[in-house]
Amino acid sequence: MISLRYHIVSITACFLALAVGVVLGSTALNGSLLSGLADQKKDLGTQVADLEAQRNSLNARLSDADAFAGTMGPKVVAGALDKRSVVIVTTQDARPADRDALKKLVGQSGASVTGELQLTDAFTDPAKADQLRDVVTRLQPAGAKFPTAGDSGTLAGALLGSTLLLDKASAKPQSSGDELAAALGGLTDGGFVKPSQGVQPAQLAIVLTGAQQTGDGAGDRAATIARFAAQMDRSGAGAVLAGDPGSAEGTGPIGVVRADTSATSILSTVDNADSAAGRVATILALQEQLNGGSGRYGIAGNAQAIAPGVTASGN
């Protein structure tokens, strides 16, 4: 006869065997899982190392290419703007090193820089647009025809275009010296610009900006610069809006221009002016402007080519 004690011992043995099986099974599973994770970690580490090596290689190649462009640039642009004149306008976020390099390259192209003008943060501040519009309207030179568009960027471009740029056909000043002084003085007193000493009118203009605008009103700020540059182009023999790759984004001045067919039909843009190759493209784009052409140059996805006369990859 099977006793109660026998049943208890049997049941205990079953549970003990089950527990041992669970422990042994989980141990084997954890070992396999950990081994698999270790293999994956090793593979990911290899991929990261490979990508870092590729990045370093590409950076080295870009550095070499930019150094080559810096060396050959003066030879490429030599005579491109012979006996021409250029005024340089910069935004608050434009890098001084880019401005100075462009200024030097302008001289190496055979042209002279007649002056520099920096647009302040107030110039693009949406909260001060009405104030800028009022100042510009008050300073309109006698006989100058301003566009009917009422935005501050276009009107400021009309004022500075008519005072800082020579007439496209005659290459003569479009306003008097007193009107130029009044325009620069009024805008300076309003906190909108910072001119260099002795600014004189020029045939061509470079508007140099930085990256895309950020923060509140970023789109409005970018549009103000874009419309200003486009109107400067309309006022003289030609203009180029140049910046770094970020400026070609949606909230960048170049991005705004490239999204507007009426602007791209007249104003040239270069989105890599932070590189030697981009600065060479800027000078060649000015030359193209003199011949009545325009284009979108640089490395951004919305550029049509690297530089005038150079077909972009995939186009």
Side-chain angles (χ1 to χ4, degrees):
M1 183 175 180
I2 300 175
S3 65
L4 178 61
R5 179 180 179 183
Y6 178 84
H7 280 295
I8 294 174
V9 171
S10 298
I11 293 172
T12 301
C14 289
F15 278 112
L16 181 60
L18 180 61
V20 171
V22 170
V23 170
L24 291 176
S26 63
T27 300
L29 180 61
N30 286 339
S32 300
L33 181 60
L34 291 174
S35 177
L37 290 174
D39 291 341
Q40 290 182 24
K41 179 181 179 182
K42 183 178 180 180
D43 291 342
L44 289 174
T46 300
Q47 293 179 37
V48 169
D50 290 343
L51 289 173
E52 288 179 344
Q54 292 178 28
R55 181 197 63 188
N56 293 336
S57 176
L58 289 172
N59 285 339
R61 291 171 62 183
L62 286 172
S63 179
D64 290 343
D66 202 49
F68 178 78
T71 301
M72 297 301 296
K75 298 179 181 179
V76 173
V77 304
L81 300 177
D82 190 36
K83 298 180 181 179
R84 304 292 184 173
S85 54
V86 180
V87 64
I88 298 178
V89 181
T90 60
T91 60
Q92 184 74 20
D93 61 343
R95 282 179 289 273
D98 296 339
R99 176 204 62 204
D100 293 343
L102 263 175
K103 184 177 178 180
K104 182 178 180 180
L105 202 60
V106 167
Q108 292 168 333
S109 74
S112 59
V113 175
T114 62
E116 301 172 34
L117 182 74
Q118 184 185 67
L119 309 180
T120 68
D121 280 340
F123 186 92
T124 59
D125 186 353
K128 296 185 178 181
D130 289 340
Q131 181 183 348
L132 175 58
R133 188 184 301 109
D134 292 342
V135 170
V136 167
T137 303
R138 177 168 49 83
L139 295 171
Q140 181 174 351
K145 294 182 179 180
F146 279 14
T148 56
D151 67 274
S152 60
T154 298
L155 290 175
L159 173 63
L160 290 175
S162 63
T163 54
L164 284 181
L165 292 179
L166 301 174
D167 181 81
K168 181 178 181 179
S170 66
K172 294 182 178 180
Q174 302 182 64
S175 57
S176 68
D178 289 341
E179 288 171 329
L180 170 59
L184 294 180
L187 290 172
T188 300
D189 291 343
F192 297 112
V193 303
K194 295 178 181 178
S196 63
Q197 291 292 327
V199 180
Q200 295 297 317
Q203 292 172 295
L204 301 162
I206 296 175
V207 180
L208 179 65
T209 186
Q212 62 179 320
Q213 302 295 300
T214 59
D216 294 339
D220 291 334
R221 287 180 177 274
T224 297
I225 298 170
R227 292 165 182 164
F228 166 80
Q231 188 58 41
M232 285 284 287
D233 193 339
R234 295 185 183 97
S235 301
V240 174
L241 174 61
D244 67 17
S247 64
E249 300 294 333
T251 56
I254 290 178
V256 173
V257 170
R258 291 178 176 176
D260 182 354
T261 55
S262 64
T264 55
S265 65
I266 59 168
L267 177 65
S268 293
T269 53
V270 178
D271 62 46
N272 60 334
D274 58 339
S275 69
R279 292 188 285 272
V280 170
T282 301
I283 301 301
L284 296 179
L286 280 177
Q287 182 187 45
E288 183 182 50
Q289 284 277 314
L290 283 172
N291 297 324
S294 63
R296 310 181 309 277
Y297 305 113
I299 59 176
N302 50 14
Q304 70 185 69
I306 300 298
V310 180
T311 302
S313 176
N315 285 356

